[in-house]
Amino acid sequence: MVLAGIVFAALNVATQWLAMVLHFPAASTAFWQYGFALVFSLPLLWRLGVRSMRTRYPVRHLVRVALAALGVQAWVVGLATVPIWQAIALVMTSPFFVIIGARLFLGERIGLHRWLATVAGFVGAMIILQPWSAGFTAASLLPVLSALLWGGSSLIMKNLTHHEAPETVTVWLLVLLTPINAALALGTGFAVPEGMSLWLLLFAGLLTAFGQYLLTLAYNAADAAYVQPFDDLKLPLNVAAGWLVFGYAPSGTLWLGALLILAASLSLLLREARQESRQEAGQETI
């Protein structure tokens, strides 16, 4: 999980370099990045085979991948407008959107602890965004929009895993993401990379595929409750990457917002882990 965090920090630097230095269109960046990642993932698709695409819920898969693709677009455009560390801190609000969505659409019971953590997370986001300041722009909300879209995609994935095999959910994501990104890129002016842009996009595609593979290895090697806290290292990793490459350094008040989001996320995770342990202990007793 730590290696995955390092890989994704490098990926974010490459994506932001494409947008802010080379001025490569964001929608085309998303298409080429995930298109190359699909090519690098072909061995996985070959191993899973066409049979893994059999499903009774094609519309749910399509909606889920469409939300993921729109989240990618919002994320890439956001990286072109805000520092890496700010984007990462704001996208960490995604679990809170999942909690709200689980209550509204899945009918799940949300306890007081979850609501308090959700409120703390959004207070942290407001401290980072500072919508009351003169420097606030609508583009600053793009990482939050990305978190919202990815949260919706996660909710549908959660619903699908009750009915479908994990391999089916994975294959549909890999197969549908690139054509949807292609349609979005065509709608905003398709760009073909060359020179440094081509090499950076190949690098980004490789990092995307490798990062996803590392995540899979992490979750296969240990319980999610153990692995997930290491994912929160992505915040300091991306702060370091943004400072080294672009000279971005967050101010003190913005650190407060990031720490609130991080604390709320870890609080949720630790409470869920304790509840899961108590349930497992109760089952063993029975």
Side-chain angles (χ1 to χ4, degrees), residues 29-41 177-178 181 205:
T29 294
F31 164 73
W32 289 107
Q33 174 190 336
Y34 283 88
F36 288 137
L38 176 62
V39 172
F40 290 125
S41 300
L177 194 57
T178 296
N181 277 335

Side-chain angles (χ1 to χ4, degrees), residues 138-223:
S140 302
L141 291 170
L142 285 169
V144 180
L145 176 61
S146 178
L148 173 61
L149 292 166
W150 281 338
S153 178
S154 296
L155 279 174
I156 297 176
M157 180 182 68
K158 183 177 182 180
N159 176 262
L160 281 169
T161 53
H162 292 305
H163 311 285
E164 308 266 78
E167 292 80 6
T168 301
V169 177
T170 301
V171 169
W172 275 85
L173 176 68
L174 291 172
V175 170
L176 289 177
L177 194 57
T178 296
I180 291 175
N181 277 335
L184 292 170
L186 287 169
T188 57
F190 191 77
V192 178
E194 56 185 22
M196 179 60 72
S197 297
L198 176 59
W199 287 110
L200 272 178
L201 284 166
L202 279 168
F203 182 57
L206 180 61
L207 288 176
T208 301
F210 186 46
Q212 292 295 332
Y213 178 65
L214 287 171
L215 286 177
T216 303
L217 287 179
Y219 284 114
N220 282 338
D223 294 336

Side-chain angles (χ1 to χ4, degrees), residues 52 107 234 283:
S52 60
K234 63 188 176 188
Q283 290 174 354

Side-chain angles (χ1 to χ4, degrees), residues 80-157:
T81 55
V82 301
I84 292 175
W85 76 268
Q86 183 176 336
I88 288 292
L90 291 173
V91 85
M92 287 174 68
T93 58
S94 184
F96 310 124
F97 287 117
V98 172
I99 288 173
I100 295 172
R103 178 67 184 91
L104 293 176
F105 302 111
L106 300 182
E108 293 186 5
R109 182 179 175 276
I110 308 299
L112 178 62
H113 184 271
R114 285 181 175 180
W115 282 122
L116 290 175
T118 301
V119 171
F122 284 121
V123 169
M126 288 302 101
I127 292 174
I128 292 173
L129 287 169
Q130 296 185 359
W132 54 82
S133 70
F136 173 77
T137 63
S140 302
L141 291 170
L142 285 169
V144 180
L145 176 61
S146 178
L148 173 61
L149 292 166
W150 281 338
S153 178
S154 296
L155 279 174
I156 297 176
M157 180 182 68

Side-chain angles (χ1 to χ4, degrees), residues 21 32 42 78 83 106 150 168 190 196 225 230 236 246 255 274 280-281:
V21 178
W32 289 107
L42 284 177
L106 300 182
W150 281 338
T168 301
F190 191 77
M196 179 60 72
F230 295 98
F246 298 104
W255 268 116
R274 285 196 299 268
E280 290 177 353

